[in-house]
Amino acid sequence: MMKSAQPAVRIYGTRGSAACYSIRDFLHRSDIPFRWTDLATDEQASTEARVSGLDDARLPICVFPDGARLERATVRQITEKLGWFRSPSREEYDLAIYGAGPAGLSAAVYASSEGLKTILIERYAVGGQAGSSPKIENYLGFPQGISGAELAERAREQACHFGAEILLNREGVRGEVVAGKGVGYLADGTKIIARASICATGVDYRRLGLPNEHRFFGAGVYYGAGASEAMLCERQHVFVVGGGNSAGQAALHFAGSGSKVTMVVRENSLKAYLSEYLVDRIHASPQIEVLLCTEVIALDGDQILRKITLRNNETCEEWITETCWLFLCLGGVPQTQWAAQAGIICDSGGYVVTGPDLLRNGSRPDNWILDRDPYTLETSLPGVFAAGDVRHGSIKRAASAVGEGAMTIAFVHRYLEKG
Ligand SMILES: Cc1cc2nc3c(=O)[nH]c(=O)nc-3n(C[C@H](O)[C@H](O)[C@H](O)COP(=O)(O)OP(=O)(O)OC[C@H]3O[C@@H](n4cnc5c(N)ncnc54)[C@H](O)[C@@H]3O)c2cc1C
């Protein structure tokens, strides 16, 4: 958790608190060192966190290196404390980008470095899915791998260096094109006007769909590779659900921190969705057990998750096992609710359709108003582009998202010059 001798933010709270998990996850993704104190008794709460007990409503508490103390701390307050919660400085931008994963960050770097007045809006922390990856090993130029959080933080700095404005913890909820300009509405009512827009909202983890799943979120059930939690579950039994690369990376990361790991995989082979180098490493790790053809069918616990029920779909055997750590890496659902409402054509899976894929037997979409075909990576609304995992037919890789983010800017320039 402590990446260096840099002063750390201290977080005090209780293990079952979803608010504490969000804060740890946000700081981890933002590459900010923190020290977590899991308060176990009223006495410890009083002496260490200076509150009356474990049920004191002032928890969680964050203490910053400058001595500032936040009570009932939230991610929003932390964003403000870090100076990252901003309001737009302009009435109008050349380009608004929604989503600060690799695609959005890359678009922001290229756009701002090429002189476009650029604003990047992110509903949570920079980095997107990549920000939750403990180690990206196939990204060009990093032969030893790089943590997704570090890659994202470097990109954030780079985008800011070139003058891009970044609004964190702000969600785009609705969009429309008025008089040829994109108007984005954020959840807090802020309105962003831009001559061109990019949808880089990526995908979010699929849920298990179990009745009490939400209750255990952050209190035993986690979505993603859980890079911020690895140190906390040292030497404990961790379950990772999923058979893709993110699940494989998570399993190896937990095993590397000394946990015993059980991978729960629905398919009958690890090779179905996992890269070969990860399959080999998983098989070589004595700490990782793989349950094929298996699903989690029930969750049970009190303030935190205590037990899960597993079922083998081949034998129909069901059994209960104890664990407080369940990491769900179940593949993605595109974040395009607002794009669809704006009239942007999406495919049956909800992914945004762009460029030549919009043409049907050479004909342009019905709502297309210009006397030219949509540019590559342009959506069915002129001047609105899409890049990265959110796009129909995209390659789900960090480098592809970065490439698409950069490439979109060439078409944004063309649109701004010629329409
Ligand atoms: C655990 C894990 C490990 C991975 N490891 C690798 C790897 O080793 N190598 C590799 O090549 N790829 C890897 N990937 C895949 C890679 O991370 C993705 O392909 C890449 O992040 C996609 O980038 P993106 O910018 O298109 O979307 P995302 O990364 O999904 O980012 C989208 C961003 O948009 C934000 N957003 C969504 N809706 C809104 C809204 N309405 N308003 C504002 N913001 C919004 C989200 O919060 C998010 O930050 C991994 C993925 C995961 C989950």
Side-chain angles (χ1 to χ4, degrees), residues 391-412:
R391 208 176 57 74
H392 164 83
S394 62
I395 313 290
K396 308 286 185 282
R397 290 282 182 274
S400 322
V402 168
E404 287 193 8
M407 192 173 145
T408 333
I409 302 310
F411 295 104
V412 167

Side-chain angles (χ1 to χ4, degrees), residues 99-101 120-126 128 166-171:
L120 172 60
I121 299 114
E122 164 57 47
R123 70 177 171 191
Y124 185 47
V126 290
I166 303 184
L167 306 187
L168 290 181
N169 228 269
R170 308 287 270 276
E171 182 173 14

Side-chain angles (χ1 to χ4, degrees), residues 83-140:
W84 290 353
F85 194 86
R86 300 213 175 99
S87 293
S89 71
R90 294 175 189 276
E91 296 273 300
E92 187 178 314
Y93 292 83
D94 293 324
L95 177 65
I97 304 164
Y98 294 86
L105 284 165
S106 157
V109 167
Y110 282 87
S112 50
S113 69
E114 291 169 20
L116 296 180
K117 295 178 186 75
T118 303
I119 187 159
L120 172 60
I121 299 114
E122 164 57 47
R123 70 177 171 191
Y124 185 47
V126 290
Q129 298 164 73
S132 73
S133 171
K135 200 176 194 187
I136 298 181
E137 294 192 65
N138 56 0
Y139 194 75
L140 191 74

